[in-house]
Amino acid sequence: MTAQLFLEQTLNGLQQGVTLFLLAAGLTLVFGVMHLINLAHGTLYMVGAYVAATVTQISGNFLWGVIAAVAAAGLTGAAIEIIALRRLYDRGHLDQVLATFGVIMFFNELVKVLWGPQALFLSPPAILSGTVEVIPGVPYPAYRLLIIGVGLAVALAVRQLITGTRTGMLIRAGATDREMVGALGVAVNRLFTRVFAIGAMLAGLAGAMAGPLLAIEVGMGEHILILTFVVVIIGGIGSVRGALVGALLVGLVDTYGRAFLPVVLRGVLSPTAADGIGASLSSIAIYVLMAAVLIWRPRGLFQAYG
Amino acid sequence: MTEPILEVSGLTKFFGAVAASDVLTFAVERGSIHGLIGPNGAGKSTTIAQLSGELRPDAGRIRFAGTDISAWPVHRRAHAGLQRSYQITSLFPDFTAAENVALAVQARQGHSFRFLAPAREIPSLREPALAVLGRLGLAAKADVPASRLGHGEQRQLELAMVLATRPKMLLLDEPTAGMSRTESRRMMGILRPLKGKVTILLVEHDMDVVFALADAITVLVKGKAIITGPPADVRANENVRRAYLGNY
Amino acid sequence: MSAPPRRKQVVNLTGLLVLLALPPAAFALGEPFLISVATRIVIAALAALSLDLILGFGGMVSFGHAAFLGIGAYVVGILAHHDVESTLIPFLPGAWHGSAAALVQWPLAVLAAALFALLTGALCLRTSGVYFIMVTLAFAQMLYHFFVSLPAYGGHDGINLWQRSMVPGVDLSKDWVFYYVCLFILLAALAVFSRIVNSRFGMVLQGCKQNEARLAALGIATGRYKLAAYTLAGAIAGLAGALTANQTEFVGPSLMHWSRSGEILVMLILGGIGTLYGAVAGAATFLALEEILTSLTEHWMLFLGPILVFVVLFARRGIYGWLVGPESGDD
């Protein structure tokens, strides 16, 4: 029984982890190549979720929703990059933070205007609404398994992109030596827009995939953005491998904390006190993890570029 | 022979497979001007950075004024009197020349947890600062922001800051870099009188400057000291000639 | 060090007179609600001022400033809560009752915020640059989630206060009295901070912003100065939080929502960083803009967002820099 519960929570943790990875990979690439800190990355996740919900509803097909979400997030990302962020690469991080904060304000409000303030809900496609017995006696929602699969597939694809393509070579070069990329005679602007759009599409994919699991509402982007920051701090900025390890760590620690900390505390405290304090403590578990990494390795577990 | 003020033994630093310092060993006599020369990429600047504590060596020990400082952080070494200048001038660009130097005086005086008295009006900061600026010929520029000084003046200002800490030893990384002949000669005029008062480890590209000033010279090639000795010996050394000629 | 900044004095004096004359003017105009707007401005200015110390002078871009406000506010809220309920404060050694006295609440708010700043600052300052921004943001979010999931103090809904803090002989429940108390605190903080930034400590702090490696190479252990400044900023922001709790008579996690940290940052940039007075100008502008835009449209963020991007891209010196002209400022 406990082993089954543990396995189930592990899968939940992995599912949360790969969702975070989709966001963290884009964020860390954009930082590694452009040295840009983009608070509006969570906005693209939100755009993905909203577009997926709407298109799925209209077309009646979740797959179309996902495709539209990825396209919409990619286009929105490219537009933000071309209109505003491009002017910020040479500025300090403070300017980048403020301008992208302004972008968040704008899009959050725009979404309220277009979709209204109520949360949207999206159901997983019918064929995936059942459960699968991963291990005999442990039924697990098929849709969540799909997310884990897609996340890991994307991780492999990103790895292939970085190690096996010309864009990837430029990304690696850009992360270690920016001037060199310019010196290679590459159209840096186009590389930047491309990298930004790739990051945006991954965020949109994450939003679309996570859509059926949560309430789609304004503010969802920033909530996950800060979790993504924790992932990137733990993994090391600019490192995709670090983003994957950090994301899985954060996903697992968060899930285990919520599931098991109150249970553990019940051994010491009264049930109500244990639940209350357990909830509070488990909500900060990942930040404690982050603090521990900062003490041990202030620049994260992995170096860019790895 | 007096005891050396700085003893470097077995200093080793690799970047991947490239040796910046390869079991580097040499010593600097107290009060001398000691040249550190070598072809490009010989590891001169990385040696300075390891001595100042900004770069952590893979192995080796550094003794300064009789103490092992290998594990000390940058500020502690500097506070003990081992000060440095940078190949690319490093100043506080928004502060005036006088404020730059006064901050150096402040560093010498101990902690700066003093919150209320206006620092610019404290005579024990401003007066020594102006005195040093005067000595280096920058008195007229005292109230000009550092960013608006000319290149040569900025390099002099950095030296003024470093001297205002009353160092025991200076690590100078190409003090005449980017200077005109005239400015370069003025810099030599500033450095020469320091001989006997402050020990100087001088990294320099301009051989005329090194051979004119140095009491002893260490030649660095691929992170190794191939010779340490008086200028005349170094000039005559066959290995040195080969190292330079082989590289250019 | 520069030419006599006469225009700066005129601007500052005008600002001071406006702030002093505001309550009587509001009564004369028959618009007493202006006093509560002005109080919000003064408290926000105090928070932005504390951020200016570390950001404008120390170069530390903290995106977690709302955490300190939240702590200050919660200290007031928790003490008031236990005072009203006559219960003991849990998890503290010894038996402590709550208190309604400002002289107990406010110093404890300052202390608690300073302590949190000291602990998180020691960790945050192991990093720099973009890491620092993200880490400060993350720690603030940690605190937000902590209070959201803490049912003992209302969780999401927070704590409603019965009354404002008690000060012997001063009736803070009168809005105009409370306004002047807040204004007095802001002016005192301005006076102290303008001494600090030009003191020896302040020169080291400014040096950290301009060229930290140089300071270390001169023999100054920069870390402890930055941590001291961070702690001091946290303490003052905690005081601003205690005042916020009094102003709204409510304490909740929303006070330390990440967007609050963003707003404080925006106010400071809008007003002009590294000027101290810019914090006041920025808070006034931001909140006035908010009042005006909300009265025009429900979707005022749709306009504020682009305004912000515009300010960042094109108006670097901020409102205060624009007011006092190019040749002022002694920093």
Side-chain angles (χ1 to χ4, degrees), chain C residues 126-181:
Chain C
R126 291 174 66 81
T127 69
S128 59
V130 65
Y131 269 95
F132 185 81
I133 300 175
M134 297 198 298
V135 175
T136 49
L137 178 58
F139 276 123
Q141 189 76 353
M142 170 182 89
L143 210 60
Y144 172 79
H145 283 306
F146 181 76
F147 280 105
V148 164
S149 48
L150 196 65
Y153 298 112
H156 248 298
D157 302 328
I159 311 166
N160 282 303
L161 304 185
W162 279 92
Q163 57 183 14
R164 287 185 176 154
S165 305
M166 307 294 282
V167 183
V170 183
D171 184 3
L172 291 188
S173 67
K174 288 198 174 70
D175 280 345
W176 66 271
V177 174
F178 182 61
Y179 170 78
Y180 278 119
V181 168

Side-chain angles (χ1 to χ4, degrees), chain C residues 206-219:
Chain C
Q206 294 187 47
C208 286
K209 182 183 182 187
Q210 294 178 43
N211 190 347
E212 189 176 350
R214 217 325 147 209
L215 268 187
L218 284 173

Side-chain angles (χ1 to χ4, degrees), chain B residues 11-162:
Chain B
L11 200 67
T12 302
K13 177 78 192 175
F14 275 80
F15 293 105
V18 181
S21 302
D22 192 356
V23 203
L24 175 62
T25 300
F26 68 97
V28 177
E29 297 295 321
R30 192 182 291 272
S32 67
I33 294 185
H34 190 116
L36 185 63
I37 62 172
N40 270 331
K44 302 182 296 282
S45 287
T46 42
T47 303
I48 298 276
Q50 290 174 83
L51 296 178
S52 69
E54 285 154 323
L55 194 65
R56 187 165 289 277
D58 302 333
R61 316 238 44 102
I62 301 161
R63 284 177 70 81
F64 175 66
T67 315
D68 189 330
I69 61 164
S70 310
W72 290 13
V74 177
H75 61 86
R76 191 166 171 206
R77 298 182 196 204
H79 202 70
L82 184 61
Q83 291 276 336
R84 69 163 298 177
S85 75
Y86 291 84
Q87 195 175 347
I88 296 163
T89 318
S90 178
L91 299 166
F92 303 101
D94 301 340
F95 283 158
T96 65
E99 287 165 0
N100 268 276
V101 184
L103 200 47
V105 177
Q106 209 175 304
R108 178 186 85 208
Q109 287 179 347
H111 75 82
S112 294
F113 283 105
R114 292 156 197 240
F115 295 93
L116 293 179
R120 294 178 184 86
E121 293 159 25
I122 296 171
S124 70
L125 294 178
R126 185 158 169 90
E127 279 162 18
L130 291 179
V132 175
L133 284 176
R135 243 169 54 216
L136 297 207
L138 287 172
K141 307 280 183 173
D143 292 325
V144 177
S147 58
R148 289 198 207 148
L149 295 174
H151 174 76
E153 290 170 336
Q154 288 185 343
R155 291 201 74 73
Q156 278 169 260
L157 176 58
E158 187 175 11
L159 191 60
M161 286 167 71
V162 170

Side-chain angles (χ1 to χ4, degrees), chain C residues 42 179-189:
Chain C
V42 166
Y179 170 78
Y180 278 119
V181 168
C182 293
L183 182 59
F184 173 78
I185 290 172
L186 174 66
L187 294 176

